[in-house]
Amino acid sequence: MVDAKGRNMKCLTFFLMLPDSVKSKSSKSSKKGNASGSSKLPPVCYEIITLRSKKKKKMSAEIFPTKKPASPTTTTTVQEYQQQNLNNNNTIQNCNWQGLYSTIRERNSVMFNNELMADVHFVMGQPGRTQRLPGHRYVLAVGSSVFHAMFYGELAENKDEIHIPDVEPAAFLAMLKYIYCDEIDLTADTVLATLYAAKKYIVPHLARACVNFLETSLSAKNACVLLSQSCLFEEPELTQRCWEVIDAQAELALRSEGFCDIDSQTLESILQRETLNAKEIVVFEAALSWAEAECQRQELISSTDNKRRVLGKAMYLIRIPTMALDDFANGAAQSGVLTLNETNDIFLWYTAAKKPELKFASQPRKGLTPQRCHRFQSCAYRSNQWRYRGRCDSIQFAVDKRVFIAGFGLYGSSCGSAEYSAKIELKRQGVLLGQNLNKYFSDGSSNTFPVWFEYPVQIEPDTFYTASVVLDGNELSYFGQEGMTEVQCGKVTFQFQCSSDSTNGTGVQGGQIPELIFYA
C-alpha cells in the first residue's frame, strides 16, 4: 500500500488496522469498563523526574527529519512546534521506532504533539483562531491531576475533542512539552500564558519555572504589568520582587509603556505606595497617561473630564500638595483634570498660613532610605597623592542579592574646599548600564560626598559589575586604604576585585570610590 506521494505504508497499516474480532472485543471491554465506573481504578503513583536542562534530548524530528529544526534563539510558535515534532502517521519509516530509544522518557517524547496513537484532541484558542492539538490520555493523566480527573475520575467524560478557549495554543504546547518530554521551553512572549495553563491544570513545577523566568527577566519596564499578573496568579514572592523594582526604580517604572496596561486596582496600589521613590509630578503624569489609555480601552473620547472620571478615587491618592510649587503651577494646575476649587485650595495650601482642608494626601512619601557600602577601613592623604588628570579610577564588585545602585560616595580635596566634576559609570561585561556627569563640593574634610545616577541601576546577584569614575578638580585629595575584599551591609554581601579599567591606581587595597550607595 502506498500513499498519494508513493511512500510505502505497510508498516503503518500493520499498526493501525486491527481485525474485526479484536475491534469487537475492544469495544465490549470498553463498554464494560465504563459501566463498572472509573472509581475502582487504582490510584496513579508517579515520580517527577529531575530536570537536566544541559542534556540534549532527542525528539521525533531528529529521527525522521524532513525540515531543518528551528534556531534555538527563534521565538517558538505553534507552527515551529509542529515542524519540530512530526506526524509519525505520515512519515514513520521504521516499524521498530520504539527500539531506537532506551528510556521511557525518550519514547514519550516522540508522542509529544503527535497524532500517532492519540486518543483525544484539544481545540485551543478563541473561535476563528483555533488550533487542534493531539494528546494521549494516559500521559496527560500522569502529568496532571486535572487531566486525571478529566479522563479517569468519577465524572469523566469520554469526549474525543475538548474545547479550551481560554488557553493560548503556544502556551498549551509548552505545558504538553513539559508533561511529555520533561523539558521546559519558555519565552518572554508565552511565559505568562504558560503560567496560566500550568496553574489551571495544576502542574506546579512548570508554574514554578515560569515564576523563576519572570523573576530573572524582571525590570522597571515590565514590573508594573508583572505586579498585576502576580496578584492574579497569587504568587506572593513574585509580587514582592515586583515591589522591590517599582520602589527603587519608580520613575522608570511609572514612565514605562507597561504602566498604562495595568488594571485600576493595581493602579491604586501603586499610587498609595508609601515607599515609592519618585517625584510626585512624575506620579501625576503617569496617572494621566494611564487615564488616557483607559479612555481608549473604554472607547471614550480622551477629554479631561473623561480622564478624571476613569481615575475616580485614585486621583486623591496622588499627593499633589507635596509637589514643588513650580511643578504644581506649570503641571498639575494647568492639566485640566483638577476642578477650579481644588486648584485654588492647593494654591492656598502652599501660600496661606491658615491652610484649607484637602481631599488629597498632604504628607510626602517616605521613599527608600539609601544604604552605603564602605569598602575601606581608613583614609589618608599625602603631599603627592591622589592626583586626577583625566584618568579613570575603577573597581569591580558583585553582590549575593539583587540591589539597586543609586550612586557612589567619593573623596574630596585634602587641602581645603574645592569643587569637583565627576563622570560616573556602571558597566556589566563592558555594556554601559548607567552614567552621569555631576559636580560636587568638598569641604576639605575626609568625609565622602554622594554623586548620583539619574536613575538607580538594577544589579543582579553573582555577577561582577564595574564601577568607574573620572574626576576633574583639585589634584590632591584623600584616598582609601586597608581595603576589604568582602563587606557585609545588612543582608547584602559585597565582594570586590581589581578592574583592568583602572588607570589611576585604584584597586581593592586602596584608592577612590570608597562607597557604593544602594537600595535593597
Side-chain angles (χ1 to χ4, degrees), residues 137-205:
R137 295 172 187 265
Y138 168 73
V139 178
L140 295 170
V142 168
S144 162
S145 59
V146 174
F147 283 129
H148 181 271
M150 185 185 299
F151 299 137
Y152 301 106
E154 293 182 358
L155 300 178
E157 296 183 11
N158 191 24
K159 293 182 178 179
D160 293 331
E161 192 170 87
I162 300 172
H163 291 259
I164 307 177
D166 60 327
V167 178
E168 295 179 10
F172 196 77
L173 277 169
M175 182 179 70
L176 293 185
K177 187 171 186 178
Y178 173 75
I179 292 175
Y180 277 80
C181 313
D182 206 13
E183 294 180 32
I184 296 176
D185 186 6
L186 300 174
T187 68
D189 293 333
T190 61
V191 61
L192 283 173
T194 304
L195 176 58
Y196 175 78
K199 288 277 188 178
K200 178 175 181 176
Y201 292 98
I202 312 181
V203 187
H205 295 277

Side-chain angles (χ1 to χ4, degrees), residues 417-437:
S417 301
E419 186 179 65
Y420 285 88
S421 174
K423 180 183 178 182
I424 59 175
E425 291 184 345
L426 198 56
K427 297 179 180 180
R428 177 181 179 180
Q429 297 177 350
V431 178
L432 184 65
L433 304 178
Q435 68 175 356
N436 207 4
L437 181 62

Side-chain angles (χ1 to χ4, degrees), residues 301-375:
I301 298 173
S302 185
S303 64
T304 53
D305 290 340
N306 285 335
K307 289 180 183 178
R308 181 64 185 262
R309 186 170 68 82
V310 298
L311 279 171
K313 63 181 181 179
M315 186 70 191
Y316 297 108
L317 299 176
I318 306 171
R319 306 184 186 192
I320 295 178
T322 68
M323 292 181 186
L325 181 56
D326 288 346
D327 288 339
F328 173 71
N330 297 317
Q334 300 186 43
S335 66
V337 295
L338 298 176
T339 66
L340 183 59
N341 287 337
E342 287 171 342
T343 303
N344 290 337
D345 286 346
I346 295 172
F347 266 122
L348 288 175
W349 174 269
Y350 283 109
T351 58
K354 185 179 179 181
K355 300 184 184 300
E357 291 186 4
L358 300 175
K359 291 184 179 181
F360 297 93
S362 57
Q363 292 297 320
R365 303 178 195 271
K366 294 180 180 178
L368 295 177
T369 302
Q371 303 180 50
R372 295 175 180 247
C373 173
H374 197 93
R375 67 188 189 92

